[in-house]
Structure formats: C-alpha cells, structure tokens
Amino acid sequence: MTAVLDPAQYQRTSPPVTPRPMAAPGAPGTGGIRRIAGMCGPAFVVSVAYVDPGNFATNMSGGARYGYLLLWVIAVANVLAMFVQALSAKLGIATGRTLPELCRDHLPRPLTWMLWAQAELVAAATDLAEFVGGAIALNLLFGVALLPAAAITAVVSCALLTLAPRGRHRFEVAIGAMLVIVLAGFLYQALRAGSFAGAAGGLVPRLAGPDSLLLATGIVGATVMPHVIYLHSALTRHHTGRTALRSSRVDIVVALGAAGLVNITMLTVGAAAFHGHDPGGLRSIHAGLGAVLGSGAAVAFAVALLASGLASSSVGTYAGQIIMEGFLRRRIPVLVRRLITMAPAFAVLAAGVDPTRALILSQVALSFGIPFALVPLIALTSRRTLMGDLVNGQCTVVAGAVVTALITALNGFLIGQALTG
C-alpha cells in the first residue's frame, strides 16, 4: 500500500539545490498578461483554507458580540496571510522544490521527523473541521443525519481530489468555483441585512477588554493556516522566471483578497443580524439568520458552509500528501489517505461531541502548528544559496521575524486560554 521512492534519495545530505535562473521581465502587453493569467490559480486553492468552517463561527460570533469592532483584525490577518503565502510561493518558484522537501534536505533528521509529525496532526485537525462543517451543512439543508452527511462529504471531496495533481488546472478551477459560491452566499446575506452604517469605524484598531482580545486572537488563528503554507510551494514549483513571480503576486492578491472579503462579510452580517445577542454554534446561527433575514439567507449560509467544507477538505488532504512526500519521501494513494484522515471526524461525530466544540478544538490544533511552518519558511527563503536573486531582502527578513513572533504569541495565548478555560 505504501510506495517508497528512489532509495538513493534517503541520503543524509541531498545534493545542493541550485537556484533557478531568473529571466529578465518581458515587455508588458497582451501576451505578457496572458502568460500571467495562465499561471494564476494556486492561490485560489490556498485561499479556501482561509474561509473554512472554523471561520464561519469565529467571524460571525465576533460580529454578534462586538459589532464592527474587530473588522480591523480580519484586515490585518488577511495582510499577514498574503505575506506568508507570497513567501511560500516564491520558495517554490525559486527552487522547484516544496517547503517539506527543503526542510528534509537542510534540517537535522530528528527535527525533520518532528516537523512531519506535527504537520500530519495539523492536517488531521484540518480534516476534522472540514468534515464537521460539511456534515452540519448537509444536515441543515436536507436534514441528513451527521454520520451519513459526513460520508457524503467524504465521497464528494474524493471526487474533487481525482482532479489533482494530474488535472491540476481543473482542480484549481473547481476549488475557485467553490470560493465563488461561498462569496456569493455571504454577499447575498449582506444584501438582505441592509445598511452597514458605522462599519468603516471597525477598521480603526482597538479592543474592548480581555474577551475581545481572545476573540481577536481566535480570528487570527482561524486565518493563517499552516497546511497551506506547505502546499503553496508545491503548487508553484513547476513555474519559473520573473513572469511566474509576478503572476503569483497577482494570484495571491486576487484570491486572498476574495477570501478576506468573505471573512469581512461574515463579521458584518453577524453584526447586522445579531449584534448584542451571540447565537452560539453554527446551527443557531443558521436558525437566527432565517428568523432575522429570511429563509433565503439561511439557505445561502448553509450552501456556503457546504461549499467551504467540501473544498477545504479536499485541499487539506492534498496538503497532507505533499507533507508526507516532502518530509518522508513516501507516498500513499490519495484515497487511502482520505480514509485515514477522515477517521477522527467520524469518531467525533459518532461519539456525540458537540460539532461547534469540535471546530474550536481543531482551530487550537491548527494554531499550534503555525510557528513550525513559519520559522523554516523564513529561514529557507533567506538563504541566497537556495533562492538566488529571489532571496529575502533585509526588510523582508525583519518583517518575517515580526510576523512569526506576533502570530506565535497570539496563538500561544489562544492555546493557553483554550486549555485553561
């Protein structure tokens, strides 16, 4: 069942990676625009992780409890996500390798094994959130019991996975379409909610006590996702040159900008529909939207949740495959991995654990994994022997260190509160 790649690749020290030559930028024009557009797509796959079911409850709860106060947190988290994903994409373009592969080649073997183990746990936590979200959505839409709904989610996500990696562009299109469905669902809810007077004031950084700090930290933790930091370098490793670098930047701004808009809309809808009354879990949010904004808004919420669960579940499994191949140079069939990673979700649902509580715990696990992806990413993209002309400048290194320290501190606070609360 497990296939091992070339044994020669198991050497302690792999041959050094030679940075790819970076061709001079071509003249702007229709042809250049077409080439850039043709290389866009990877960031749309990545962006789905930033609007996974964990974001639904966190962002709408933030709007319900604090109105527009935490809009600035979503905006800052989105900028941080763009910065991190741009570094990962650049790593793939400069080296033709994935972040897990480079970790194995350039870090001590015990550290590599530790990084692999925590990355697999992060991938499993990701699957837990996505399966639970998809199952709840099917239950809300069609009244399907949670366990059969989880099985349906598994079948559909497996169908999406058959498009990757050989049908990579079709996979990107399919995942991008799911993102559009999520965005359309929340824009419809926003239209039903009506006026958002005062929303601009939420872009001014401020908090309202320790509880709002905890929720703000949860928003950041639900935004920057470690598994797609590994994945993005794999999605861009077949691209090279300055045009590829430009296209990745356009790709990231458009795709993560759309994901940021979804998150902002989640919070504003929560503020408009529930301000002063936190409805609680996803089921209560769905019922509350139906009561306040009408049945159409409730259906739009459930459809968006289903699209998010299906797409992010497929992306999570794809990322898990890249993680295993890179850290261990081993590969198992994607469908086998799908069966293994969905087992915890089925166990949680079968045990009768509160689905919303399961989502919260999965976000804590994801928060734990962020520094283990960020620190190697910053270190490796700062090596000229690996990156060549695309090596991080001094400002980028400093910014990366600040971002890593900030996210690590915030998520450490979130984990501490979750364990002691």
Side-chain angles (χ1 to χ4, degrees):
M1 187 177 296
T2 300
V4 181
L5 302 184
D6 182 6
Q9 293 178 325
Y10 281 85
Q11 299 174 23
R12 174 81 179 172
T13 304
S14 300
V17 176
T18 302
R20 291 169 165 182
M22 293 293 112
T30 305
I33 293 173
R34 262 197 217 104
R35 284 195 298 276
I36 290 176
M39 285 185 280
C40 288
F44 283 88
V45 174
V46 166
S47 66
V48 168
Y50 292 95
V51 291
D52 77 347
N55 293 69
F56 281 59
T58 304
N59 291 330
M60 296 200 73
S61 178
R65 293 169 61 182
Y66 298 105
Y68 306 119
L69 178 73
L70 300 179
L71 271 179
W72 69 273
V73 177
I74 294 178
V76 170
N78 201 240
V79 171
L80 295 180
M82 288 183 180
F83 174 78
V84 170
Q85 296 302 150
L87 288 181
S88 180
K90 184 173 73 167
L91 182 69
I93 291 169
T95 65
R97 310 287 298 282
T98 70
L99 176 57
E101 287 173 335
L102 292 170
C103 286
R104 178 184 172 87
D105 291 345
H106 296 275
L107 298 178
R109 189 55 46 86
L111 180 57
T112 298
W113 280 91
M114 186 272 289
L115 289 174
W116 166 74
Q118 66 80 32
E120 291 288 3
L121 290 175
V122 163
T126 301
D127 255 1
L128 174 61
E130 322 325 9
F131 264 105
V132 170
I136 291 175
L138 286 172
N139 177 263
L140 294 175
L141 285 169
F142 307 110
V144 182
L146 287 179
L147 275 177
I152 295 171
T153 302
V155 171
V156 177
S157 62
C158 283
L160 285 174
L161 281 169
T162 61
L163 300 176
R166 291 185 178 180
R168 186 173 57 82
H169 289 297
R170 286 181 294 168
F171 183 67
E172 291 170 356
V173 170
I175 297 300
M178 295 286 189
L179 177 63
V180 170
I181 291 172
V182 177
L183 178 58
F186 276 96
L187 288 179
Y188 174 78
Q189 294 171 62
L191 290 174
R192 294 290 300 168
S195 173
F196 294 99
L203 297 175
V204 178
R206 65 192 191 281
L207 293 169
D211 287 342
S212 66
L213 174 60
L214 178 60
L215 190 53
T217 305
I219 289 173
V220 175
T223 301
V224 181
M225 292 291 180
H227 64 292
V228 291
I229 298 175
Y230 297 115
L231 178 61
H232 208 156
S233 59
L235 296 173
T236 59
R237 61 182 159 172
H238 302 297
H239 299 164
T240 185
R242 297 286 180 184
T243 300
L245 187 61
R246 289 203 304 271
S247 74
S248 75
R249 290 170 179 167
V250 172
D251 196 26
I252 288 167
V253 169
V254 174
L256 292 190
L261 179 59
V262 171
N263 285 319
I264 286 173
T265 308
M266 286 180 188
L267 188 141
T268 55
V269 168
F274 305 118
H275 190 200
H277 170 65
D278 188 353
L282 293 175
R283 294 177 188 277
S284 299
I285 291 173
H286 174 263
L289 287 172
V292 177
L293 303 181
S295 60
V299 170
F301 175 83
V303 170
L305 180 62
L306 178 61
S308 168
L310 293 173
S312 52
S313 177
S314 302
V315 170
T317 299
Y318 192 8
Q321 191 76 354
I322 295 299
I323 287 166
M324 176 173 281
E325 289 178 11
F327 282 117
L328 301 186
R329 294 201 175 100
R330 293 177 181 268
R331 180 185 179 89
I332 62 175
V334 172
L335 295 182
V336 174
R337 169 172 281 277
R338 172 83 290 177
L339 292 173
I340 294 172
T341 56
M342 71 185 185
F346 275 91
V348 166
L349 293 174
V353 176
D354 176 46
T356 301
R357 178 65 178 168
L359 283 174
I360 293 171
L361 291 176
S362 72
Q363 296 304 310
V364 172
L366 290 172
S367 300
F368 174 78
I370 290 173
F372 293 100
L374 277 180
V375 172
L377 177 65
I378 301 298
L380 291 170
T381 53
S382 301
R383 292 189 181 186
R384 183 168 292 277
T385 53
L386 283 177
M387 301 294 294
D389 292 341
L390 296 185
V391 66
N392 291 338
Q394 186 175 1
C395 291
T396 303
V397 173
V398 172
V402 171
V403 168
T404 301
L406 175 63
I407 294 177
T408 300
L410 287 175
N411 284 289
F413 174 74
L414 177 63
I415 292 169
Q417 289 293 319
L419 295 178
T420 59

